[in-house]
Amino acid sequence: MKKSDFDLKYQNQSTESKIVASLERISQAFRVLLWQESNAFSLSPIQVQVLIFLLHHSEEKRKVSYLAGEFNMTKATISDAVKALDQKGLIEKAYVPGDTRSYIIHLSERGREIAKKTSLFTREIHDPIDKLHPDDKENLLLSLLNIIRHLNKAGVITIQRMCTTCAYHQQSENGEKHFCKLLNQNLQIADLRIDCPEHEMKAG
């Protein structure tokens, strides 16, 4: 690509650039909605994101080092967010026996309550997607999975737990059929996951 996707003369002649610009607009919407939700609870956006992640993920993922990779941030930044949540009584630390520096992060009762409320911040984005035709939803999902996988392979985003990056996932040569070796069953496009708790990163 030799020209910017934000060069309007170029953008208006390029379907690809229009898609990129559209995704950027949607990312703006996520930021606005997340800010609105975080301000309502006197939290920062990353603090809200951490709470939501803790609510929906297993213990081995609820550590500072994992959270840093999950959100593509430094351990220091995540540690600051965790410290602030701790001071506000929204989390509790369970230290690993024999290691005073390593701990698993649990939500407090108040933290769980706020996490449940703030996790609905995407509803305005969910509504128009809900109205799409089922075929359009599947095509959109496949396209987004491919974009995310490319960004992951390029090192732009790190941790991914999608079917298409999983060692258990098999795909036909034409890319139309999907199979999960863990579940031992064929997967429909609607069955493909963005975030799977049993995910094992594919080698290479």
Side-chain angles (χ1 to χ4, degrees):
M1 187 183 76
K2 295 182 179 179
K3 293 187 178 180
S4 168
D5 288 314
F6 302 102
D7 179 336
L8 295 183
K9 289 183 179 179
Y10 174 67
Q11 182 189 109
N12 290 331
Q13 297 175 352
S14 169
T15 300
E16 294 80 3
S17 289
K18 290 175 185 176
I19 292 172
V20 170
S22 297
L23 289 172
E24 198 271 338
R25 290 286 181 89
I26 293 172
S27 74
Q28 287 183 23
F30 272 103
R31 289 195 296 271
V32 169
L33 293 170
L34 186 56
W35 266 110
Q36 290 175 348
E37 203 69 34
S38 60
N39 285 339
F41 292 93
S42 299
L43 298 169
S44 70
I46 186 57
Q47 289 168 12
V48 169
Q49 288 177 294
V50 168
L51 289 177
I52 294 171
F53 185 88
L54 295 174
L55 178 65
H56 296 290
H57 292 84
S58 57
E59 283 193 359
E60 67 268 17
K61 297 180 177 69
R62 289 192 255 129
K63 297 179 180 179
V64 169
S65 57
Y66 195 96
L67 291 171
E70 175 72 21
F71 295 109
N72 295 279
M73 293 182 173
T74 64
K75 287 184 180 180
T77 299
I78 292 297
S79 293
D80 287 343
V82 169
K83 182 179 179 181
L85 292 171
D86 190 25
Q87 291 172 341
K88 294 176 181 180
L90 302 181
I91 63 159
E92 298 169 353
K93 298 178 182 178
Y95 285 90
V96 177
D99 186 353
T100 57
R101 294 178 301 176
S102 181
Y103 54 85
I104 297 170
I105 309 166
H106 299 285
L107 290 171
S108 66
E109 185 176 340
R110 175 61 177 161
R112 181 174 294 274
E113 179 185 335
I114 291 177
K116 287 180 179 179
K117 290 179 179 178
T118 56
S119 65
L120 301 176
F121 81 93
T122 55
R123 55 190 173 273
E124 289 298 336
I125 296 172
H126 186 279
D127 286 349
I129 294 173
D130 192 44
K131 296 173 183 176
L132 293 175
H133 187 279
D135 290 345
D136 292 333
K137 291 178 186 178
E138 291 188 354
N139 289 332
L140 178 58
L141 175 59
L142 280 178
S143 297
L144 292 173
L145 285 170
N146 287 331
I147 292 171
I148 294 169
R149 186 176 184 184
H150 170 82
L151 293 172
N152 176 235
K153 293 178 73 174
V156 178
I157 49 180
T158 51
I159 297 175
Q160 293 303 317
R161 295 178 294 274
M162 306 183 303
C163 287
T164 52
T165 64
C166 184
Y168 297 123
H169 175 259
Q170 287 183 328
Q171 191 170 354
S172 61
E173 289 187 9
N174 61 10
E176 293 182 358
K177 294 183 179 180
H178 301 266
F179 182 81
C180 177
K181 292 186 287 184
L182 180 65
L183 301 176
N184 194 32
Q185 68 181 42
N186 291 317
L187 300 174
Q188 301 300 315
I189 292 175
D191 296 325
L192 295 176
R193 298 178 179 183
I194 292 287
D195 192 341
C196 178
E198 284 82 31
H199 182 274
E200 292 288 341
M201 183 60 73
K202 190 177 295 183

